[in-house]
């Protein structure tokens, strides 16, 4: 593997791994698994239908191939957000717990944790009506989610955040509540198209930092983390109970059988790295690239569950398609992705009403000839005045220092003429000039005759220098999993509980219900759901009995 291929994490993530206490466990910190493609080489999801061979259960691994047998109370498969919280919760409830993780490190994604009624939230006098928030989420998700699961999150997310934050704060990493994200009541407050509740919480370094702190704490208390140990098969006995799981070492290739007295919790994340599964179960992701790296998210838990009779929620599943500057996460993202500046595709033509929320912009970027998921914001020297003119939105005002930093990194392009800006940005120059001229005409008229954007969001593009901000619409995660009840127990096709088997986070289903796109009325509900349900799964499994 080349040195270029090895650089697959950004500086913040790479440095954090170097400093992580997990290096004391003998875990690689400066590179990840050999043979893993870099994000810059990520390929779009396939457009063709896929074979269904992956749904066929493999032959059981014979006892003769098992090198070691380990007995414990709870086995958690996966050390991401839900896996870390599940393991510590089970341990605190009195269960001896082992965590099996693919790769060398705790690995999770996300920046903010969505919760209602956290202590930090209430200190800010932010009181959210849970039913209002839930029903707005249900409405924006086309009434497809399992209401009981969403309510379970709403009832327990605040205490789950408080529990995580108490641990991180004692370890020197206090969380904070982002009161500016959304509005306490979820009312529009001048926003256009959608309402959003103020539920966002975060830590310096995001969830990657917070979960590493919690995992280190859990390991010090006695949770047994075993890295380079992906699970490959569940064990289900004759009476239908799941009694354990088999892992295969990424280092030696040997199999280890883990017998679980109380339960196995699947916290293996989504299946976005399994292109066959994406093509079959999430066709709306067709044409997008994946932003998730490293590609541990290959649907391992989904498949192991299906192989022993668990029910995968009905397709199509929900995609989360955010916008970034590029697939190279080391460059960082340019600010202002939610601002309604003029947007064009690489052909230089305007293609949408820019008031559409950023998480839906991607659905137009893959249409038409020679599209690649990119679109481009075009603005002029008065961009700061533009933002003051725009009505309030979920995104915060842009710090000029962040804008300058993005200019330096190349994620914002600057030029003195529109023609030069087009050439530097690899956009069709003739079309871009025509588009800008037309857009200025619409501004003068005070009416968007072409796409119907509200008049206050029309701004002139006349004053040099001019700026282009490339935006890449790509899939962050695929939200579809094994059906569960409100105790996180996995269900079979007859909706009966499979005793001894749990799922949390993106390995679990029903929460988003197959709405085409991840909705935003409850800020950061995806991460909040993963942490909350991981905690609840761990608590329930620890009290379970054979």
């Amino acid at each position: 593997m080349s040195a270029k291929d090895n650089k697959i994490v950004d500086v913040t993530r790479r440095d954090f791994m170097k400093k992580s206490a997990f290096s004391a466990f003998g875990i690689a910190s400066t590179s990840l698994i050999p043979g893993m493609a870099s994000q810059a080489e990520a390929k779009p999801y396939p457009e063709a239908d896929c074979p269904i061979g992956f749904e066929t259960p493999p032959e059981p691994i014979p006892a003769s191939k098992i090198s070691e047998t380990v007995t414990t109370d709870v086995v958690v498969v996966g050390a991401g957000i839900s896996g870390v919280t599940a393991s510590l919760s089970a341990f605190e409830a009195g269960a001896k717990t082992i965590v099996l993780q693919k790769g060398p490190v705790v690995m999770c994604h996300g920046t903010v944790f969505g919760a209602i009624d956290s202590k930090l939230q209430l200190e800010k006098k932010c009181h959210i009506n849970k039913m209002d928030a839930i029903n707005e989420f249900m409405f924006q998700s086309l009434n497809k989610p399992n209401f009981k699961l969403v309510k379970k999150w709403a009832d327990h997310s605040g205490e789950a955040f408080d529990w995580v934050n108490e641990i991180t704060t004692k370890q020197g990493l206090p969380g904070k509540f982002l009161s500016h994200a959304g509005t306490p009541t979820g009312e529009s407050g001048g926003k256009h198209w959608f309402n959003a509740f103020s539920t966002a919480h975060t830590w310096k370094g995001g969830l990657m930092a917070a979960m590493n702190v919690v995992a280190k704490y859990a390991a010090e208390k006695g949770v047994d983390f075993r890295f380079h140990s992906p699970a490959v098969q569940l064990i289900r006995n004759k009476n239908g109970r799941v009694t354990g799981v088999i892992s295969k070492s990424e280092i030696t290739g040997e199999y280890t059988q883990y017998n679980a007295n109380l339960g196995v919790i699947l916290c293996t994340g989504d299946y976005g790295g399994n292109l066959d599964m994406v093509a079959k179960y999430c066709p709306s992701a067709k044409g997008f690239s994946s932003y998730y790296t490293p590609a541990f998210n290959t649907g391992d838990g989904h498949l192991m569950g299906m192989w022993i009779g668990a029910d995968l929620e009905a397709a199509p599943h929900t995609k989360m398609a955010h916008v970034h500057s590029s697939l190279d996460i080391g460059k960082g993202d340019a600010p202002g992705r939610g601002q309604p500046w003029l947007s064009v595709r690489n052909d230089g033509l305007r293609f949408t009403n820019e008031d559409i929320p950023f998480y839906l912009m991607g659905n137009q970027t893959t249409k038409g000839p020679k599209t690649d998921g990119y679109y481009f914001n075009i603005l002029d020297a008065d961009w700061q005045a533009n933002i003051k003119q725009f009505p309030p939105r979920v995104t915060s005002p842009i710090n000029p220092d962040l804008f300058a930093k993005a200019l330096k990194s190349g994620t914002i392009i600057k030029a003195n003429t529109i023609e030069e800006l087009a050439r530097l940005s690899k956009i069709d120059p003739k079309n871009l000039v025509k588009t800008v001229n037309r857009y200025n005409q619409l501004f003068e008229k005070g009416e968007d005759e072409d796409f119907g954007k509200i008049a206050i969001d029309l701004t002139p593009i006349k004053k040099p220098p001019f700026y282009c901000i490339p935006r890449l619409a790509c899939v962050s995660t695929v939200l579809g999993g094994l059906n569960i009840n409100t105790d996180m127990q996995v269900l079979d096709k007859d909706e009966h509980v499979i005793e001894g088997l749990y799922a949390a986070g993106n390995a679990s289903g029903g929460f988003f219900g197959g709405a085409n796109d991840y909705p935003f009325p409850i800020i950061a509900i995806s991460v909040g759901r993963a942490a909350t349900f991981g905690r609840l799964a761990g608590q329930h499994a620890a009290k379970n009995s054979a």
Side-chain angles (χ1 to χ4, degrees):
M1 183 173 69
S2 69
K4 178 182 178 183
D5 291 333
N6 205 27
K7 296 177 181 177
I8 61 176
V9 290
D10 64 9
V11 173
T12 301
R13 195 171 297 170
R14 185 167 58 243
D15 287 349
F16 192 85
M17 289 179 183
K18 288 180 181 179
K19 297 173 184 177
S20 171
F22 287 117
S23 60
F25 296 175
I27 299 162
S29 58
T30 58
S31 64
L32 297 180
I33 299 173
M36 193 171 295
S38 68
Q39 267 208 319
E41 297 168 348
K43 297 179 180 179
Y45 290 130
E47 297 189 10
D49 290 336
C50 67
I52 60 172
F54 61 85
E55 295 175 332
T56 303
E59 290 296 320
I61 297 167
S64 61
K65 289 190 175 182
I66 303 297
S67 299
E68 181 185 11
T69 299
V70 179
T71 299
T72 188
D73 293 328
V74 172
V75 178
V76 177
V77 184
I81 295 169
S82 59
V84 169
T85 55
S87 65
L88 181 55
S89 293
F91 182 83
E92 288 184 339
K96 184 179 179 182
T97 305
I98 292 176
V99 182
L100 304 179
Q101 170 69 335
K102 178 192 292 188
V105 291
V106 168
M107 178 55 63
C108 57
H109 295 72
T111 304
V112 286
F113 182 129
I116 292 178
D117 286 347
S118 73
K119 292 178 181 178
L120 295 182
Q121 196 177 49
L122 296 178
E123 287 173 2
K124 293 287 187 179
K125 309 298 184 184
C126 178
H127 298 280
I128 294 175
N129 184 299
K130 290 180 182 179
M131 283 301 185
D132 286 350
I134 293 168
N135 282 308
E136 182 68 22
F137 179 84
M138 295 295 294
F139 169 71
Q140 292 190 32
S141 302
L142 309 181
N143 203 32
K144 290 185 175 183
N146 181 329
F147 183 94
K148 291 181 179 179
L149 289 178
V150 181
K151 188 173 187 301
K152 190 80 171 187
W153 164 83
D155 288 340
H156 295 276
S157 59
E159 65 191 50
F161 173 81
D162 292 342
W163 172 71
V164 171
N165 191 47
E166 181 179 357
I167 296 168
T168 61
T169 299
K170 288 180 179 178
Q171 304 302 314
L173 187 68
K176 60 181 178 180
F177 170 56
L178 304 178
S179 58
H180 62 271
T183 61
T185 62
E187 295 174 357
S188 65
K191 291 188 294 295
H192 198 51
W193 291 108
F194 70 103
N195 303 333
F197 290 82
S198 293
T199 52
H201 304 70
T202 193
W203 295 264
K204 183 178 181 180
L207 269 295
M208 187 70 168
M211 287 300 112
N212 268 274
V213 167
V214 175
K216 176 178 179 290
Y217 173 83
E220 291 171 347
K221 291 295 182 182
V223 174
D224 185 356
F225 284 82
R226 301 197 175 192
F227 295 89
H228 291 296
S229 301
V232 292
Q233 279 187 13
L234 292 168
I235 303 168
R236 190 178 188 187
N237 65 18
K238 293 181 180 179
N239 68 9
R241 183 181 182 86
V242 170
T243 59
V245 62
I246 298 172
S247 75
K248 183 178 182 180
S249 171
E250 292 172 331
I251 298 172
T252 67
E254 295 180 339
Y255 292 103
T256 300
Q257 178 170 319
Y258 293 89
N259 296 326
N261 294 328
L262 301 179
V264 174
I265 308 175
L266 299 175
C267 299
T268 48
D270 81 307
Y271 59 81
N274 185 323
L275 302 188
D276 286 341
M277 291 185 72
V278 170
K280 182 173 179 62
Y281 299 124
C282 192
S284 67
K286 184 170 62 178
F288 289 88
S289 294
S290 174
Y291 192 68
Y292 191 110
T293 190
F296 293 166
N297 59 331
T298 49
D300 301 2
H302 299 68
L303 294 176
M304 288 189 293
M306 292 164 64
W307 293 339
I308 58 95
D311 187 35
L312 185 71
E313 70 175 304
H317 296 159
T318 303
K319 75 176 184 295
M320 181 190 292
H322 289 178
V323 294
H324 298 279
S325 292
S326 72
L327 289 174
D328 181 3
I329 61 177
K331 293 179 67 174
D333 285 326
R337 64 183 177 178
Q339 305 297 344
W341 286 305
L342 169 65
S343 295
V344 301
R345 288 196 295 243
N346 52 21
D347 58 7
L349 301 177
R350 190 179 178 206
F351 66 97
T352 188
N353 177 340
E354 294 87 0
D355 275 326
I356 293 289
F358 73 87
Y359 62 92
L360 297 177
M361 292 289 280
N363 289 333
Q364 291 295 324
T365 63
T366 57
K367 300 182 184 300
K370 297 182 180 180
T371 54
D372 56 6
Y374 276 98
Y375 69 95
F376 306 84
N377 290 148
I378 307 298
L379 45 149
D380 73 2
D382 287 333
W383 63 268
Q384 292 187 71
N386 297 165
I387 294 173
K388 293 178 181 178
Q389 172 182 320
F390 297 149
R393 277 174 169 73
V394 171
T395 52
S396 305
I398 298 175
N399 185 323
D401 291 339
L402 292 179
F403 195 91
K405 183 179 179 181
L407 270 173
K408 186 176 180 179
S409 72
T411 54
I412 296 180
I413 299 164
K414 176 181 177 182
N416 289 320
T417 67
I418 296 297
E419 293 88 345
E420 180 188 8
L421 189 70
R423 286 192 293 271
L424 291 174
S425 306
K426 298 181 181 180
I427 301 172
D428 185 296
K430 291 183 180 179
N431 282 345
L432 184 60
V433 169
K434 291 179 181 178
T435 298
V436 169
N437 288 339
R438 172 60 176 166
Y439 194 73
N440 285 332
Q441 291 174 0
L442 297 175
F443 166 75
E444 296 296 339
K445 289 183 177 182
E447 181 181 1
D448 183 4
E449 299 171 338
D450 295 345
F451 288 94
K453 182 163 68 175
I454 57 176
I456 198 170
D457 284 346
L458 292 168
T459 54
I461 305 173
K462 297 181 179 180
K463 183 177 179 181
F466 302 101
Y467 301 97
C468 172
I469 308 180
R471 310 282 189 190
L472 174 64
C474 50
V475 173
S476 300
T477 189
V478 178
L479 301 160
L482 303 174
N483 281 323
I484 58 172
N485 63 17
T486 54
D487 290 322
M488 314 306 129
Q489 293 173 294
V490 175
L491 306 176
D492 65 17
K493 295 182 185 301
D494 295 320
E495 298 187 6
H496 296 148
V497 168
I498 298 177
E499 294 292 342
L501 186 61
Y502 297 80
N506 289 333
S508 65
F511 196 89
F512 295 93
N516 188 58
D517 293 282
Y518 175 77
F520 263 72
I522 300 176
I523 306 300
I525 194 171
S526 179
V527 168
R529 184 269 303 240
T532 303
F533 284 10
R535 175 164 165 74
L536 294 174
Q539 290 174 334
H540 194 277
K543 298 174 183 177
N544 202 354
S545 60

